[in-house]
Amino acid sequence: MRLSGGLKGMMSAALLGAVCWAAPATAEPLRITIEDGVIEPLPFAAPTFIDEGGAGDIARAMTDVIAADLQGTGLFAQIPAGAFISQVTSFDAPVSYADWKAINAQALIVGAVSNSGGRINVKFNLHDVFSDTTLGDGLQFGGGEGDWRRIAHKVADQIYSRITGEGPYFDSRVVFVSESGPKDARQKQLAIMDYDGANVQYLTDASAIVLAPRFSAAGDRILYTSFETGFPRIKLMDLATLQSRAIADLQGNMTFAPRFSPDGDTVVFSLENGGNTDLYAMSLSSGQTTQLTNAPSIETAPSFSPDGSQIAFESDRSGNQQIYIMPVSGGEPVRVSSGEGRYSTPVWSPRGDLVAFTKQNGGRFHIGVMRTDGSEERLLTASYLDEGPTWAPNGRVIMFTRESPGAAGSAQLYSVDISGRALRQVPTVGAASDPAWSPLLP
Amino acid sequence: MNRLSLMILMVGALALAACNNPQRGFGAGGAGGQGGAGAGGITSGALGDPNDPNSVAYFNQRIGDTVRFAVDQSTLTPEAQATLTAQAQWLNSHPSATAIIEGHADEQGTREYNLALGARRASAVQQYLIAQGVAGTRLKTVSYGKERPLAVCSEESCFAQNRRSVTVIGAGAGV
């Protein structure tokens, strides 16, 4: 049964806890700034974490996950163990910085893992080799052994944050649409996985088309569109119970493109009536529905600003798709996209500074970002069909759908950072589309 | 309840869900021309002989259940209007028949927009049929956006076939 492995892991998550000491943000000179253009990945050494009892396999596996997290950002380059001059034999032994300088390891991660009766404890130090000192204080995490991947992500998050100054994001999940079957009869089902593709679990069966799941800001619920009734309708799934219910079932109209407000009570969505699509908002607590736009054009793909005061959306009121921003209660929208081509699927960064979007121009699709006033547009990708960006919890990485052309074409998930670096495919079992990134896990 | 506990419960519920899958209706059949499978529930009806003007097969094949649209348009071409006029005549002479009008888009667009565009197309067909005397209560619309292409290549020859509406006669209609 495909769920059993994850079950054990998640059950023991109850025991996961972190013991932290102050980690001062003194970060010079070991520092990477993501906004920089092309940078040389920072070389780091991550000797296999020391087994301090019963944790040999887990220690190795955790070291690999930590290194993969860091390498996957494109900001770090792992130095192979074969190049090491000195070995780390004890967590507390003094570090021979000269040996690590000699192989140009700018960061050295020293860690140790113990496993006592199924409860693992991990501790690590991040060494700034060329400063002959540690970067931040040592830190340890404890949890059930089924949580070893999550704990490894938390260690990697700490290292990433200390060196980049950015928020963490590795310990997060992604809900997406798992696809199978031929192009003209594609089967789709909702699935959820770790951000790196591990621990996949299916949330629905494939009996009806499902589209574009979206997380609540608390990560406890998802909105999505389902054809279960034969017509596209918004559904709300409680991830604690996996129960779904239709919401905003209004006059039998099509409803789609839902998204939560930051406080989780309001759902903004598209409703089609007589061929015309406008934006509506519905309060989940009161059930009250408000029409936000009233235009003969298509208004869809709404997304709240993180402070909940504004909504970005796409409209073809100008003749083709462009991005607009309006106050949360409706009102006159301001167009923010201004370049050539069509702009769609705006998604506000969780940091509030940028809007990610899909751009269609000259027969190509792009994922891009712009400031919320439309300035400083930056295209991050180009392909036959890229669409549907979603932000990592730290607002510095974007995941999206890339579909290849032709009869055998299929969709895959990709990620890229906001400077356009580190474009990579996210591993999934089979085809996948419509990713939505969770908030950082607790 | 914190998120961690929620996640734990969630996995437990997942296991239960996997063992006890709630009944799920069949979705609408998708690509048109299939007659039978209406939305929400299962019904059946013979398509009949395409030589029989009272049959659904006649409607689908001889009149034509499908009309095509230009890129990003929902305007009915003269050719589409001719087909729809014949569809309306058939529907008017078979007053017990109901239909679901499916709107579709080609793959060159984003998912949400294509859903809305397909709805525009389905609605344009619905309005035309109503103007030809078919009661609106007999006609439902649904958009599949780009989710159910008819032709699977990524060339204009396929895109042109996919930018379409399909008038699906409800099961039990016809003879």
Side-chain angles (χ1 to χ4, degrees), chain A residues 47 50 85-100 108-110 125 127 129 132-134:
Chain A
I50 294 153
I85 295 169
S86 66
Q87 306 298 321
V88 175
T89 52
S90 149
F91 182 74
D92 295 316
V95 168
S96 312
Y97 287 113
D99 289 348
W100 300 101
L108 168 68
I109 304 160
V110 174
N125 269 309
H127 295 271
V129 171
D132 295 341
T133 184
T134 55

Side-chain angles (χ1 to χ4, degrees), chain A residues 154-313:
Chain A
K154 284 195 175 297
V155 171
D157 269 332
Q158 283 291 323
I159 294 163
Y160 168 87
S161 289
R162 290 182 189 186
I163 295 177
T164 65
E166 303 288 352
Y169 74 94
F170 301 131
D171 186 25
S172 60
R173 306 204 84 193
V174 171
V175 61
F176 64 102
V177 173
S178 174
E179 302 192 4
S180 59
K183 190 170 177 178
D184 56 357
R186 203 76 93 197
Q187 294 205 307
K188 299 195 169 193
Q189 57 190 127
L190 291 185
I192 191 169
M193 64 184 186
D194 296 352
Y195 100 99
D196 60 357
N199 293 324
V200 178
Q201 297 156 2
Y202 294 89
L203 304 177
T204 66
D205 63 25
S207 64
I209 297 171
V210 287
L211 304 173
R214 308 295 184 202
F215 268 106
S216 63
D220 58 343
R221 293 167 296 163
I222 55 170
L223 290 162
Y224 61 104
T225 302
S226 170
F227 279 71
E228 199 173 301
T229 63
F231 300 87
R233 294 278 159 71
I234 298 170
K235 299 199 76 174
L236 172 67
M237 180 183 286
D238 184 336
L239 288 175
T241 63
L242 286 194
Q243 294 296 308
S244 286
R245 63 184 174 94
I247 62 164
D249 196 358
L250 303 161
Q251 306 147 40
N253 295 295
M254 279 178 40
T255 53
F256 57 102
R259 212 180 277 270
F260 282 105
S261 61
D263 69 8
D265 182 56
T266 302
V267 177
V268 61
F269 60 97
S270 279
L271 182 147
E272 176 267 344
N273 184 15
N276 181 38
T277 297
D278 272 304
L279 296 179
Y280 288 72
M282 177 185 178
S283 162
L284 289 172
S285 53
S286 73
Q288 187 182 346
T289 300
T290 313
Q291 184 168 359
L292 299 179
T293 66
N294 187 0
S297 43
I298 289 171
E299 277 70 39
T300 191
S303 166
F304 280 91
S305 61
D307 68 2
S309 70
Q310 298 177 92
I311 294 172
F313 63 99

